[in-house]
Each structure stands twice: as C-alpha cells, then as structure tokens.
Amino acid sequence: MSTHLNESQIAAFHENGFLSPIQLFSPEEARQLRTKLEAIEQQPFDHRSKSRFGLPITNRWAWDLVHDPRIVDPVSDVLGPNVMFWSMDWFIKEPGPEFVSYHQDATYWGLEPHNVVTAWVAISDALPASGPMKFVPGSHRGPLFEQEDTFGENNILSRGQVVKTTIDETSTIMTPLNAGEMSLHHVRMIHGSDPNNSSDRRIGMVLRYCATDVKQTKVKGDRAILVKGKDSYHHFEHIPRPNEDRGEAELARAKALSETRQRALHSKDFEDD
Ligand SMILES: O=C(O)CCC(=O)C(=O)O
C-alpha cells in the first residue's frame, strides 16, 4: 500500500496549511507506543523530561520511528524530496483544564525559510471531548503575528504564547484523531486546542520536519537527522543513529542538543552574530 499522499491531499495541505486525518499506526502499534512512553514517565521527573524529547537521539527504536515511511513520505510529499527530522515534542493533556493557546510556531523556532511541517501523531484518542488540535485554515498564507507571553495557568505552552490578533472561533477547524492517526500542519499555521474533558489522557507525539534548505537563524550548532534524500546545504550538523540505547555518547549528544534548543526557543533575539 502506498504511503504517499494523493494530489488532492497535497493540494488541500497547501491551500489550508494542514491535512487531517492520515491513517498511520494500527491501534496495536499506537498502544505499544503508549506503553513505551508511560514506562519512561515512571522515571524520576528530571530524567523523564530529558529522555522523552531526545528519544530519537538516544534510542534506536525512536530513531527508526522518525524514519518510518508512513510518516516521512507524506511529509516529503508536501516539503520536497530532501527532508530533515528536527525535533520530537510531546503534547500530553491530562483530563482537566489544560489547553494550548493560539500560536504560530514559525515566530519563535528560528527556522527559515518556513519549509517546516509538524506531524502530530495521536497515541491516544484525540476526539472532540479530549481537546484535539484546532486550526485557522489558510493562516499559513497570512502574516506572522507578534505573540504575547502570558505564562497563563493551565496553558501547556512553555511561555503561554498567544498570537496578538482576534481569532474568529467560527472560522477554526477542529481535527479529531483516533489513536494511530496523524495530522500535518505548516509551521506558520495558527493553531491551539481546548481542555481535555474526557476521562483519558490526550497524548500527542509531535514530530517536526523541515526541508534541507532550512536554516536555524537564532543560534549556532543546531542539529537534525537526515531522514530522506540528500542534504546539499549542510545547515545542520547531522545526528547519527544511536550505536546503543542510552549509551554515554548518545546521552551526551541529546544533552548538548537540548541546551542548544533551549537557547534558540527561549531567546527572542538572535544570539549568535
Ligand atoms: O497538542 C496541542 O494541542 C498543540 C500542539 C502544538 O502546538 C504543536 O504541535 O505545535
């Protein structure tokens, strides 16, 4: 079975800035991923938060996962033939009031040009009651808005960032996903999500990919993994496949990258040069 998008799906992505749903994992595969994640969550907080984000650098199964053609082929259908994996985030909303304010990722990641796409993979059901993603269709073709850091209570974004514009709720599209499905969205897309009013956790495994012409403009030393095609730009240092799971070199690499990313994401101004 082809793992590629068809022409109308590709056209819809470029028109709307997102595409959803895309069938990815079987329910059993999604359940196994959830088991892996929840085993990591049993570890002490410091260790857990560090390990979750660096998994593709430290664990072979996660390295292989971010190369899975079922994810990478649709991503390359919208980004082009040469694709880098840039980061893995987890957006986990426990039942309760946590939400994600409307924001645009392109404003603060430092990645340019904006040939960057997120694959948001549902590891548990993200149905209307659990606060799935909401998009403002076509907003990737509009301006990049300034964002206010609200540090709002229950906002799970690190700074509670909110776009400084009025969002007409009636124009937004909610994209519910069953466990094992994914959506794609453009880095300029205005998006957010409501609280989780279901009785289960809403677990999003969030994989960010970019074309090889993309550059980190905020800090030096950013790294990424070439997952498809070839890289003739060399804007990122390439991260190799782990030789062993959670080996010393692998953990050191993940720590160094985490420090670089903290500097990039939390600085508003360009730090280097
Ligand atoms: O999971 C959510 O509700 C928000 C995710 C998000 O902001 C993102 O993937 O960039």
Side-chain angles (χ1 to χ4, degrees):
M1 205 182 89
S2 171
T3 49
H4 285 279
L5 302 177
N6 62 38
E7 272 179 29
S8 69
Q9 287 175 306
I10 296 170
F13 175 86
H14 290 302
E15 173 67 18
N16 299 320
F18 71 94
L19 187 68
S20 180
I22 301 167
Q23 182 57 47
L24 176 59
F25 297 132
S26 67
E28 177 54 20
E29 284 175 296
R31 199 192 56 72
Q32 284 173 9
L33 262 173
R34 181 172 182 161
T35 304
K36 280 189 171 126
L37 168 74
E38 290 181 342
I40 292 170
E41 288 180 313
Q42 295 311 309
Q43 298 167 350
F45 179 78
D46 203 38
H47 183 67
R48 172 181 84 200
S49 59
K50 280 193 187 115
S51 39
R52 220 164 52 182
F53 298 94
L55 279 169
I57 307 172
T58 57
N59 288 64
R60 286 166 291 188
W61 67 262
W63 166 279
D64 295 338
L65 177 82
V66 303
H67 287 74
D68 190 323
R70 292 173 294 176
I71 305 172
V72 174
D73 285 347
V75 165
S76 98
D77 288 335
V78 298
L79 280 185
N82 305 310
V83 181
M84 313 282 298
F85 164 81
W86 183 67
S87 92
M88 170 185 273
D89 294 325
W90 294 86
F91 277 81
I92 302 176
K93 278 195 294 195
E94 306 296 339
E98 290 176 342
F99 70 101
V100 175
S101 51
Y102 285 115
H103 65 286
Q104 286 172 301
D105 299 324
T107 310
Y108 59 105
W109 286 358
L111 299 181
E112 289 177 28
H114 293 150
N115 298 329
V116 185
V117 159
T118 290
W120 198 104
V121 181
I123 302 301
S124 62
D125 287 342
L127 299 176
S130 28
M133 293 268 278
K134 291 195 300 184
F135 297 112
V136 178
S139 54
H140 65 304
R141 291 185 273 106
L144 263 193
F145 292 97
E146 265 186 66
Q147 301 194 143
E148 187 186 342
D149 292 344
T150 64
F151 297 96
E153 197 189 351
N154 298 320
N155 190 333
I156 61 173
L157 292 180
S158 54
R159 297 194 306 266
Q161 50 271 40
V162 187
V163 278
K164 285 195 193 169
T165 185
T166 307
I167 305 293
D168 171 8
E169 273 296 330
T170 61
S171 74
T172 65
I173 308 256
M174 182 186 273
T175 56
L177 296 173
N178 292 305
E181 293 179 326
M182 72 169 176
S183 60
L184 298 181
H185 69 267
H186 191 278
V187 71
R188 295 176 68 95
M189 165 64 45
I190 299 180
H191 60 289
S193 66
D194 291 334
N196 177 1
N197 294 317
S198 77
S199 54
D200 191 15
R201 345 175 52 201
R202 192 220 63 169
I203 307 173
M205 180 181 72
V206 183
L207 308 176
R208 323 286 193 179
Y209 293 89
C210 62
T212 48
D213 63 342
V214 171
K215 204 171 178 174
Q216 171 57 265
T217 59
K218 285 173 95 181
V219 292
K220 290 205 170 89
D222 205 350
R223 300 176 180 81
I225 299 172
L226 182 66
V227 292
K228 187 163 178 145
K230 62 178 199 302
D231 176 13
S232 24
Y233 293 89
H234 305 289
H235 289 157
F236 293 91
E237 248 175 70
H238 288 202
I239 301 168
R241 187 172 191 271
N243 272 329
E244 58 174 316
D245 288 341
R246 299 188 60 74
E248 249 177 64
E250 286 75 9
L251 290 172
R253 226 174 265 139
K255 183 166 181 282
L257 184 57
S258 154
E259 285 163 7
T260 304
R261 291 287 165 78
Q262 289 303 316
R263 285 196 296 125
L265 297 184
H266 296 288
S267 74
K268 284 201 163 174
D269 307 312
F270 296 1
E271 284 190 346
D272 300 339
D273 304 326

